[in-house]
Amino acid sequence: MTNQPGTDRATMPTGHNPVLERRTVENANRNLLKYLRPGLSVLDVGCGSGAITRSIAEKTGPTGSVLGIDPNRNLIELARQQAGDTPGLNFQQADVYAFDTPERFDLVTCARTLQWLAQPEAALRNMKRFVKAGGHLAILDFNHEKISWTPEPPGAMQLFYNAFLNWRQDAGFDNAIADNLKTLMHFVGFDSVEVEKQFEITDRNDPNFSIASRLWAEVAELRGPQLVQDGYLTEEQRLKAISDYDTWIATVGESMTVYLLAVEGQQPL
Ligand SMILES: C[S@@+](CC[C@H](N)C(=O)[O-])C[C@H]1O[C@@H](n2cnc3c(N)ncnc32)[C@H](O)[C@@H]1O
């Protein structure tokens, strides 16, 4: 890894990551459900600690094969530990740009990862190589500019969120990547590209509201120290964003809609 800001900023902080760990195919990658069946071969790019990858492997079963790749050694170690000896499930430390294998997969999936890459087109081009003829490449990603909250979150959280977007943009990441993926998929050679809304909507009637809407307090806890270190906000501002936002959740917060799209292409036969 180089010391480029993009590479550093894409690096997940070490340690337990509750955001990644509570994800499953059903609650965080449901666009994959239509493909998953026993015996399928799947490559999960940017698998993190492997929570979704394990959930994929439950569905492809012992006759399937699932490989999760991620450049973060700590996350890959965690993924391996948690997978135990699940048959057909493997993890490899690898970067999407450099990864290579002679294997071809029925499904290549990449969720919430292109948002952290300064060259998403090059990443898509490499991932496309690993899809079997007739197989699918399924990308899931955000447009961070289109998040909405009702009512507006507290000023301190808005300040953190805007600093987060600026910090990402300055590293070359596309905050609106979800809405640019269809064009990128065409550029890399997919003729027909399907786009499906995968918005994550949570409201106060949802028993999970306080956990789901807390995503941005967790981002401020996990990623916030990097922003402070890079001079995008002060430690006081970061802490105030977390505490004011927790008060918003406990009192006036009604709903939050995170804008995510699944963008999928089929490898020509
Ligand atoms: C937000 S996490 C997504 C994890 C999982 N796919 C999910 O949806 O929960 C983004 C992941 O992208 C990985 N990542 C960052 N740069 C990468 C690269 N160059 N190649 C592959 N993965 C990368 C990070 O290490 C991190 O695990």
Side-chain angles (χ1 to χ4, degrees):
M1 288 238 172
T2 67
N3 283 330
Q4 235 186 319
T7 311
D8 292 346
R9 287 180 197 181
T11 304
M12 276 284 198
T14 51
H16 175 66
N17 186 320
V19 180
L20 297 190
E21 272 309 311
R22 58 175 176 262
R23 291 184 177 147
T24 63
V25 172
E26 283 81 0
N27 72 19
N29 224 161
R30 59 186 184 280
N31 58 306
L32 301 183
L33 287 169
K34 60 183 172 294
Y35 302 117
L36 297 176
R37 58 180 192 315
L40 210 73
S41 59
V42 182
L43 173 66
D44 183 8
V45 176
C47 64
S49 54
I52 294 175
T53 331
R54 291 197 298 279
S55 178
I56 291 171
E58 278 170 20
K59 288 162 184 66
T60 55
T63 58
S65 71
V66 179
L67 174 64
I69 65 164
D70 200 287
N72 187 311
R73 188 160 52 90
N74 296 313
L75 291 175
I76 287 293
E77 265 169 27
L78 202 58
R80 285 190 178 129
Q81 278 165 23
Q82 295 182 127
D85 50 12
T86 309
L89 175 58
N90 289 289
F91 292 96
Q92 184 181 329
Q93 186 186 0
D95 184 284
V96 64
Y97 300 120
F99 177 68
D100 201 8
T101 175
E103 212 178 327
R104 296 296 176 258
F105 299 83
D106 297 304
L107 175 65
V108 176
T109 169
C110 179
R112 304 176 182 82
T113 295
L114 291 182
Q115 58 153 339
W116 290 110
L117 301 184
Q119 297 165 66
E121 187 182 329
L124 285 171
R125 217 171 272 288
N126 202 31
M127 285 190 277
K128 184 175 182 290
R129 296 198 299 126
F130 309 120
V131 186
K132 276 184 190 168
H136 292 86
L137 175 62
I139 309 295
L140 179 72
D141 232 310
F142 299 94
N143 183 337
H144 290 296
E145 293 166 2
K146 290 190 175 170
I147 191 168
S148 64
W149 288 271
T150 306
E152 287 293 312
M157 178 46 84
Q158 291 183 38
L159 190 123
F160 172 79
Y161 192 78
N162 290 330
F164 178 67
L165 295 199
N166 289 334
W167 175 79
R168 289 174 37 80
Q169 188 174 304
D170 291 348
F173 307 146
D174 182 357
N175 285 321
I177 182 103
D179 285 314
N180 296 322
L181 279 171
K182 186 173 182 180
T183 306
L184 291 176
M185 291 283 272
H186 283 307
F187 281 167
V188 305
F190 288 102
D191 296 334
S192 74
V193 177
E194 301 293 324
V195 179
E196 232 182 289
K197 283 183 187 167
Q198 298 285 306
F199 294 1
E200 291 181 348
I201 304 171
T202 178
D203 71 38
R204 182 161 287 286
N205 298 320
D206 173 359
N208 230 13
F209 177 69
S210 60
I211 295 173
S213 62
R214 207 171 178 276
L215 172 67
W216 295 105
E218 288 174 328
V219 173
E221 285 163 354
L222 292 165
R223 291 278 186 181
Q226 290 172 270
L227 273 77
V228 172
Q229 200 187 330
D230 293 344
Y232 283 73
L233 82 168
T234 65
E235 179 64 2
E236 291 67 34
Q237 286 170 325
R238 180 182 81 89
L239 295 174
K240 186 163 167 51
I242 297 168
S243 67
D244 288 8
Y245 189 63
D246 277 335
T247 305
W248 178 90
I249 294 168
T251 56
V252 296
E254 282 169 27
S255 69
M256 177 180 83
T257 301
V258 176
Y259 185 106
L260 277 160
L261 296 180
V263 182
E264 302 174 359
Q266 186 172 19
Q267 189 81 302
L269 284 165

